Amino acid sequence: GPAQAPTPAPPFRRVDIALGCSYVGEGVRGLLRAFSASASEHPATLVLRGVLVRDVGNLDDVTEYKVPQENPDSSSPIVFEASAQSVSIPHAEALLHADCDGEEVTCEMSPYSSQRAGEGPSHASWFMATLRLSSGISIALVLRGPHCSSQEEEKEHDATLHPKLRIPMSKEGTLLTTVEFQSSSRNTSLRTHLGSSVTLDCRFALAPSSSLSFLEWRRQHRGSGRSLFRYQVGSTGPAPQPKVHVDVGDLLGSGDASLSLQGVSVEDEGTYICLVSTPLHQAQHIIQLRVAEPPRVHVIPAVVSFERDVMTTLSCKITGYYPLDVSVSWTQKSPEDDTEIPLSNARFSSHRQSQDGTYSITSYLSISSATARAPATYSCHVSHMALAEPISVSAHLKAPEQTGSEGLVGSFIATVIFIVVLFIVLRRR
């Protein structure tokens, strides 16, 4: 039949995205670091203007953001209007539909000290917007704000200065900025198994006037850190690494700075930092990588024959798990029981660690013929963070069987009783 035409891609549309934020940092000139001793917090709104999103028919209710018609004072929320015409905003659909999708967005604005912010008599103000979604997405936006005026110009144009930040504002009382640099990561936390391959997502985009200068990936764990990958634009390229890889072609072509990690081991667990630098700016993303390996569980012996005056010990062997924390419990259930009965007389070996970093432990349950009921099922239940649900492995206690000597004695007694009864009956006749 005729070939079907490919489904057309959904059209794009530019929309405004307004986010409630907190402004952190002292506001003089907008250039002091947010983590200074005098850091303070103030309500703010970030309005991303002209963000390009896919229109799949769910944008009918989206309208242009209207700035509240009021004269701002030092206690009013600081409204940042950020033009996103030259730098694409990552995960725009997730930001736009966060409320409908039940996503929580945390937005923090802070002054940003550009490496060349202090150059010239009338330099620009810079701000950093840090966005985090409850799904794990993190976004960093570097915003170029209005030029900071000299003291003489401030006196002349005092009415146009923001009452808190003391930098020029629009007629509507907002701060007009442009997005000059953005970086993002899909995950702030990842969990993977031993021997697997994982990709730590890190991407960026720059305004046409800027360019990438440097990329570094670092790993920190338990107080120590080391560099995993470094690339300086214009250099011959990074030396090959046995386990880590960044595609330099994707890095320079599409801004994909993601790190691929092969054959994950326990030693790879830790905090990974993606640091992207331009001649003017720097942004980093932190990704927690956790290794979680599920345990293997065996109960020995699987079937136990009940014997009088004998103590039987069941062994529940839990092996190959990581991290260390594991929960082990025992239960008993006989045919007349409606539910499993918890047992508290189990003993445990010490934890053992193998060469690959995983752990193992053994739990012992002693069954006494004086108190045990047969038949019965004894179950070992194991819970661990790498398991979607607990593992339960059982051993079966069989009812006692008659031995050969016990059978002969029983037959003899029955025969004697039968002869005595028969003799009495015949004698009465």
Side-chain angles (χ1 to χ4, degrees):
Q4 293 184 348
T7 304
F12 284 84
R13 175 180 159 188
R14 290 196 179 274
V15 300
D16 295 341
I17 300 176
L19 303 170
C21 305
S22 294
Y23 179 81
V24 180
E26 195 63 32
V28 178
R29 297 284 190 187
L31 295 174
L32 299 181
R33 293 186 180 274
F35 300 104
S36 64
S38 60
S40 60
E41 198 167 310
H42 192 84
T45 300
L46 174 62
V47 183
L48 299 172
R49 295 287 196 185
V51 179
L52 206 60
V53 297
R54 290 183 178 86
D55 188 355
V56 293
N58 58 350
L59 301 180
D60 295 339
D61 296 333
V62 177
T63 58
E64 181 182 356
Y65 178 82
K66 299 295 184 182
V67 178
Q69 297 298 318
E70 58 182 32
N71 294 321
D73 55 33
S74 59
S75 63
S76 301
I78 305 171
V79 180
F80 294 86
E81 292 191 72
S83 171
Q85 297 286 335
S86 59
V87 176
S88 62
I89 301 299
H91 310 288
E93 285 84 2
L95 291 173
L96 179 63
H97 303 297
D99 288 342
C100 296
D101 296 339
E103 284 257 34
E104 182 178 346
V105 181
T106 303
C107 171
E108 182 179 285
M109 304 290 300
S110 60
Y112 179 80
S113 294
S114 169
Q115 298 177 34
R116 298 181 183 174
E119 294 185 0
S122 180
H123 48 265
S125 54
W126 295 87
F127 301 92
M128 172 75 81
T130 304
L131 313 178
R132 296 183 180 88
L133 281 74
S134 54
S135 60
I137 294 173
S138 65
I139 303 170
L141 306 175
V142 176
L143 309 179
R144 182 187 183 99
H147 280 72
C148 298
S149 307
S150 64
Q151 291 184 355
E152 292 76 12
E153 291 173 323
E154 285 186 8
K155 292 178 181 179
E156 183 180 351
H157 303 286
D158 187 63
T160 64
L161 298 183
H162 191 276
K164 182 172 179 62
L165 301 187
R166 307 303 299 170
I167 58 177
M169 63 181 182
S170 68
K171 294 179 180 180
E172 291 78 18
T174 66
L175 299 177
L176 300 180
T177 66
T178 58
V179 181
E180 295 288 317
F181 174 40
Q182 60 90 346
S183 64
S184 67
S185 177
R186 290 183 178 275
N187 303 99
T188 53
S189 180
L190 286 175
R191 196 170 73 184
T192 189
H193 294 301
L194 289 178
S196 64
S197 298
V198 66
T199 298
L200 307 182
D201 183 67
C202 184
R203 301 166 190 270
F204 67 94
L206 306 169
S209 59
S210 186
S211 61
L212 175 71
S213 60
F214 183 71
L215 170 70
E216 182 178 23
W217 275 95
R218 295 186 60 84
R219 173 184 169 271
Q220 293 181 343
H221 190 52
R222 295 177 180 174
S224 63
R226 69 184 185 94
S227 179
L228 299 175
F229 179 91
R230 293 169 64 93
Y231 178 68
Q232 182 81 40
V233 174
S235 66
T236 56
Q241 301 285 339
K243 291 184 62 172
V244 300
H245 174 71
V246 174
D247 191 312
V248 176
D250 290 343
L251 172 69
L252 299 177
S254 61
D256 187 352
S258 301
L259 179 79
S260 297
L261 186 62
Q262 308 293 325
V264 173
S265 65
V266 168
E267 288 74 21
D268 294 320
E269 190 173 59
T271 301
Y272 288 76
I273 302 171
C274 173
L275 179 65
V276 181
S277 299
T278 75
L280 278 178
H281 314 111
Q282 230 178 44
Q284 69 177 24
H285 288 276
I286 298 175
I287 303 173
Q288 299 288 340
L289 180 64
R290 294 180 174 85
V291 176
E293 191 67 15
R296 301 182 295 274
V297 183
H298 304 278
V299 173
I300 303 173
V303 179
V304 181
S305 296
F306 188 91
E307 297 183 30
R308 288 189 177 89
D309 302 324
V310 173
M311 180 75 74
T312 300
T313 299
L314 300 177
S315 300
C316 183
K317 297 182 179 294
I318 305 106
T319 60
Y321 58 90
Y322 187 89
L324 178 65
D325 293 336
V326 67
S327 175
V328 184
S329 61
W330 288 87
T331 59
Q332 168 192 306
K333 189 175 188 297
S334 57
E336 58 267 24
D337 294 327
D338 294 330
T339 59
E340 293 181 303
I341 301 172
L343 302 175
S344 58
N345 57 329
R347 297 177 290 110
F348 292 89
S349 70
S350 59
H351 283 281
R352 302 175 295 276
Q353 190 170 23
S354 60
Q355 290 185 347
D356 65 359
T358 60
Y359 296 95
S360 43
I361 194 172
T362 303
S363 178
Y364 303 97
L365 181 70
S366 297
I367 304 173
S368 170
S369 60
T371 57
R373 293 179 297 170
T377 299
Y378 290 85
S379 300
C380 176
H381 307 279
V382 178
S383 298
H384 188 265
M385 67 173 296
L387 296 171
E389 57 185 24
I391 294 177
S392 297
V393 180
S394 300
H396 303 283
L397 180 63
K398 296 172 62 177
E401 298 179 357
Q402 291 184 339
T403 62
S405 58
E406 289 176 339
L408 291 175
V409 172
S411 299
F412 175 76
I413 294 174
T415 302
V416 170
I417 294 174
F418 175 75
I419 293 173
V420 171
V421 172
L422 181 62
F423 175 77
I424 293 174
V425 171
L426 294 176
R427 187 175 180 182
R428 286 180 178 177
R429 291 182 179 182

